[in-house]
Amino acid sequence: MNKTLTTIFALAVASVTALSHAQETKGDVKAGEKKIAMCIGCHGIPGYQASFPEIHKVPMISGQSGAYIASALDAYRKGDRKHPTMRGIADSLTDQDIADVAAYYAQHGKAGAAELPAKPKREPSVQVAELLKKGACVSCHGDNFAKPIDPSYPHIAGQHADYLFVALKSYKAEKNANVGRSNAIMAGVAKQFTNAELKALANYLGSLEGDMHTVPQSRFR
């Protein structure tokens, strides 16, 4: 194992403990259902696109890991994730609000969903296979890139490719007040790749079968 991967794995192990606070407050699904008004205007509309920092579809969060949603909102609140809109939303939430919203979206739209296979049905190209190996993506995001080794890591299979590309690039951003994500693990991974390589990764991961959805709210149908 090369030095970069050794460092990434060491950081991953350390982060399991560091991010455990995201799971300490128990969320209530019913309470969360009453707290999502500020979420559904973007995440409850299929195909909805954001325009910052560039045009891309907003991520699917229904069916995403609740612990990941909680840790992401906490990171926006702390400023570890720089995004003016999400920072403003996260700042308005208490720890209990975050736990409730995360619990709601973790189960949202999952009723009757089939179990994903352990291995993606679509094989990557030779180039992408090498990139996945170099980034050791499966070591954290798990089987089919949808069974992460820690619940505070995201499911990424089937996520919108253009969002994944923007997210991956954000880990490379430095000294920008409005764009960037402070995560030593992902920064170490993303900085190994050119933007063209990150786009190839994002396109492959986005093409896979996933367990996340955009569930339209009745008011938007």
Side-chain angles (χ1 to χ4, degrees):
M1 185 181 296
N2 64 41
K3 185 176 180 180
T4 300
L5 289 182
T6 300
T7 301
I8 289 170
F9 285 134
L11 288 167
V13 171
S15 73
V16 170
T17 301
L19 292 173
S20 63
H21 71 278
Q23 304 172 58
E24 290 175 359
T25 303
K26 184 174 177 59
D28 181 270
V29 173
K30 289 296 184 183
E33 188 174 11
K34 299 174 182 178
K35 298 177 179 181
I36 59 168
M38 64 185 70
C39 308
I40 59 177
C42 292
H43 297 286
I45 304 177
Y48 186 84
Q49 295 188 114
S51 58
F52 178 86
E54 60 191 72
I55 296 174
H56 63 87
K57 294 183 183 68
V58 298
M60 292 178 279
I61 57 175
S62 293
Q64 180 61 272
S65 164
Y68 168 71
I69 293 173
S71 66
L73 286 170
D74 188 53
Y76 284 120
R77 187 170 58 175
K78 291 178 176 177
D80 290 338
R81 286 192 175 195
K82 299 173 184 177
H83 188 289
T85 301
M86 286 304 303
R87 177 71 186 273
I89 290 171
D91 273 346
S92 71
L93 302 175
T94 65
D95 287 347
Q96 188 63 59
D97 291 336
I98 287 176
D100 292 342
V101 168
Y104 173 79
Y105 276 112
Q107 57 76 47
H108 193 222
K110 293 189 75 170
E115 183 75 12
L116 291 175
K119 184 179 179 181
K121 293 180 180 179
R122 181 176 179 180
E123 292 289 336
S125 66
V126 173
Q127 177 209 13
V128 170
E130 286 300 315
L131 297 178
L132 291 168
K133 181 179 179 181
K134 181 178 179 180
C137 304
V138 73
S139 66
C140 286
H141 296 286
D143 292 343
N144 203 18
F145 306 101
K147 295 184 183 296
I149 63 168
D150 184 84
S152 61
Y153 298 161
H155 299 199
I156 55 176
Q159 184 60 269
H160 296 306
D162 54 355
Y163 164 74
L164 288 174
F165 181 46
V166 169
L168 286 168
K169 287 192 296 182
S170 73
Y171 291 109
K172 296 171 66 176
E174 295 179 345
K175 298 179 181 179
N176 188 314
N178 295 311
V179 178
R181 297 185 178 187
S182 299
N183 182 298
I185 300 169
M186 284 305 304
V189 171
K191 288 177 181 179
Q192 299 179 91
F193 301 110
T194 66
N195 285 349
E197 289 172 332
L198 291 179
K199 190 169 188 177
L201 282 169
N203 286 341
Y204 172 69
L205 293 168
S207 74
L208 301 179
E209 183 181 359
D211 52 5
M212 293 173 292
H213 312 276
T214 299
V215 181
Q217 296 292 318
S218 58
R219 70 194 75 181
F220 298 137
R221 291 175 181 169

